[in-house]
Amino acid sequence: MGRDAGLRRLVLGTLLAAYPGPLPPDWAVELVADGLAGHTLFGTNVHDPARLAASTAALRAARSDVLVAIDEEGGDVTRLAHATGSPYPGNAALGAVDDTALTRRIHAAIGAELAAVGVTVDLAPTVDVNTADDNPVIGTRAFGADPARVAAHSAAAVTGLQSVGVAACAKHFPGHGATVADSHHELPTVDAGPALLRERDLPPFAAAVDAGVRAIMTAHIRVPALTGDGPATFSRAVLVDLLRGEYGFTGVVVTDALEMKGAAVAAGGIGSAAVRALAAGADLLCLGARVDAALVERVVAEIVGAIGDGRLDRGRVEQAADRAAALAGWTRRAVPPGPARPGPVPPGPLPTGPVPTSIGPAGSGPTGSGPTGIGYEAARRAVRVEGDLTGFDRPLVVQVHAAATVAEGRVPWGLGPHLGAVEQIRVVSTGTDPAAVRRLAADRPIVLVGRNLHRLPGGPALVTALAGTHPVAVVEMGWPGRWRPAGVRAFVITYGASHANGRAAAEALGLTG
């Protein structure tokens, strides 16, 4: 592998790596100079705008057309505001508002924040149709459960991001919304035939393609009717016959992280997963978050070896690298070098309203932050109140905690940052004694705040026990589905747990002081 520098450079051109810390180490920069397609940024890479801009500038200094990608969906999945929570509501809230012009403006604002610090590819929007109420990984990341509504907002999100020169990447093809397992931990199965997929899961991807989306991300899900026993990421029937042949997509097919068990275990390792994904038609291989120089070289060696022994056609790798380079060329034309200077945008109408020019805690850009920001206004419009909130002005607020998903990461959530002179406690759904909460509440009403509270072990029982003795309002910041808690005075639905969603819920309850 080391003797054929040209082949190594070719293979590097299909890889998205990652690195730890706020500034790229030497090996990460050197790989870019050697031909690495780019890096994906995670929360550990984002400390403040200045250092983030310096990081992307260092990568561009190694090669001007390097791809700098990030998962910035808004809502529950944020890297820019991982320390405080996003100043934008996520897709479920935008779908609930159902104003495609607003969705476009929100994503243009997110894109402008990314462009301002030198990010060129947003691994968003999530365009899955969340038809499974108990979906553990999509939920509020989806625009909803109706294919037509999700399709309309998917197109608006793509248009918004790309109007400010940031490439959008619609995910997760052919649709992760009907799963009840998390592909980070296992290989989920969607038992649906092509006809059902075309009716239920695929319309948003068709809409994204029609909107000119530059990239589409694969799903590590098994669809037996199309993929057999393996995931869609390794299926030529899905990536070539369906996505390119039937839906006419000509952009870059990006894999979801190959370190995820839905891919790595199915293939027998990240290197083998990379070979199988390329052979199936993927162009840009996202290795994951835990990457170092040694892992990149092992993956390169595995791909080079597969070319040598005939498992992988060199022409297929050249095609993949060419598509990745074309994407890099588009981003370079759309946003010229300079971390804080968003440049000319591609043809098409511009979003209406202001867009931010910098990031910071809770989105300290001019439109993202504060109660008057576009994200907060959108979150207010999304809140739904069922029942009567009279008398909840001085409650005990009880936040019920649960583990975050891998996609979301450990991002703060809840009403805490927005409360005035109101007491809040944090509990877990299992092992919490309702009697202890009652004693602490005394004669005050209780506001119970949770994410997917009905799915938490002991969650519904805790609601029932407290509602038997106290006026209770439940604030659901996850995917509400069809669940409605019995016996409570009010049910508040935010459709997300971002900083903006939390503020909107606190305001609806009259608790902001």
Side-chain angles (χ1 to χ4, degrees), residues 106-348:
I106 290 289
H107 284 81
I110 291 172
E113 291 198 7
L114 295 175
V117 291
V119 174
T120 59
V121 180
D122 191 4
L123 301 176
T126 294
V127 306
D128 303 299
V129 182
N130 197 77
T131 52
D133 280 351
D134 290 338
N135 194 316
V137 69
I138 303 300
T140 59
R141 300 168 66 193
F143 287 112
D146 175 66
R149 179 176 295 195
V150 175
H153 288 273
S154 297
V158 167
T159 303
L161 282 168
Q162 295 188 168
S163 72
V164 292
V166 173
C169 179
K171 60 190 185 186
H172 308 78
F173 192 82
H176 212 313
T179 61
V180 291
D182 187 343
S183 53
H184 292 88
H185 305 297
E186 57 186 295
L187 179 60
T189 295
V190 175
D191 194 9
L196 179 56
L197 290 175
R198 290 187 184 96
E199 177 185 348
R200 182 189 67 188
D201 299 281
L202 293 172
F205 292 99
V209 171
D210 289 344
V213 70
R214 296 286 166 173
I216 289 179
M217 179 177 284
T218 68
H220 301 327
I221 61 170
R222 177 177 172 262
V223 186
L226 293 176
T227 71
D229 293 332
T233 300
F234 302 158
S235 171
R236 189 170 181 83
V238 170
L239 303 188
V240 177
D241 299 343
L242 184 62
L243 179 56
R244 295 201 184 278
E246 184 170 336
Y247 285 90
F249 179 60
T250 60
V252 173
V253 175
V254 183
T255 71
D256 208 344
L258 294 180
E259 70 182 5
M260 294 165 59
K261 291 185 178 179
V265 171
I270 294 178
S272 296
V275 171
R276 292 185 64 180
L278 280 169
D283 306 307
L284 192 56
L285 312 180
C286 180
L287 300 183
R290 296 179 293 274
V291 180
D292 56 21
L295 174 62
V296 174
E297 297 298 350
R298 286 199 301 272
V299 171
V300 170
E302 184 83 18
I303 296 171
V304 169
I307 294 172
D309 64 22
R311 286 178 292 149
L312 184 60
D313 181 67
R314 178 170 180 150
R316 167 79 272 272
V317 181
E318 291 171 344
Q319 180 187 56
D322 286 346
R323 286 178 178 150
L327 176 64
W330 182 88
T331 63
R332 186 182 181 188
R333 292 190 299 273
V335 182
R341 301 194 307 275
V345 301

Side-chain angles (χ1 to χ4, degrees), residues 457-487:
L462 180 62
V463 174
T464 300
L466 296 176
T469 59
H470 283 69
V472 170
V474 170
V475 179
E476 176 56 71
M477 304 191 77
W479 183 266
R482 291 176 291 273
W483 177 71
R484 295 296 182 269

Side-chain angles (χ1 to χ4, degrees), residues 10-186:
L10 171 66
V11 172
L12 282 172
T14 68
L15 304 182
L16 274 179
Y19 58 85
L23 294 173
D26 290 344
W27 65 261
V29 177
E30 290 166 2
L31 281 172
V32 171
D34 289 347
L36 183 77
H39 287 286
T40 302
L41 303 179
F42 294 88
T44 55
N45 304 122
V46 179
H47 285 222
D48 59 68
R51 275 193 283 186
L52 183 54
S55 295
T56 61
L59 297 175
R60 282 197 306 279
R63 202 182 73 249
S64 61
D65 64 347
V66 61
L67 294 172
V68 182
I70 199 168
D71 285 277
E72 190 62 35
E73 299 178 14
D76 294 358
V77 178
T78 177
R79 308 299 186 229
L80 296 185
H82 69 95
T84 55
S86 177
Y88 303 103
N91 288 355
L94 295 174
V97 175
D98 198 18
D99 179 345
T100 55
L102 176 65
T103 295
R104 187 173 186 274
R105 291 180 62 201
I106 290 289
H107 284 81
I110 291 172
E113 291 198 7
L114 295 175
V117 291
V119 174
T120 59
V121 180
D122 191 4
L123 301 176
T126 294
V127 306
D128 303 299
V129 182
N130 197 77
T131 52
D133 280 351
D134 290 338
N135 194 316
V137 69
I138 303 300
T140 59
R141 300 168 66 193
F143 287 112
D146 175 66
R149 179 176 295 195
V150 175
H153 288 273
S154 297
V158 167
T159 303
L161 282 168
Q162 295 188 168
S163 72
V164 292
V166 173
C169 179
K171 60 190 185 186
H172 308 78
F173 192 82
H176 212 313
T179 61
V180 291
D182 187 343
S183 53
H184 292 88
H185 305 297
E186 57 186 295

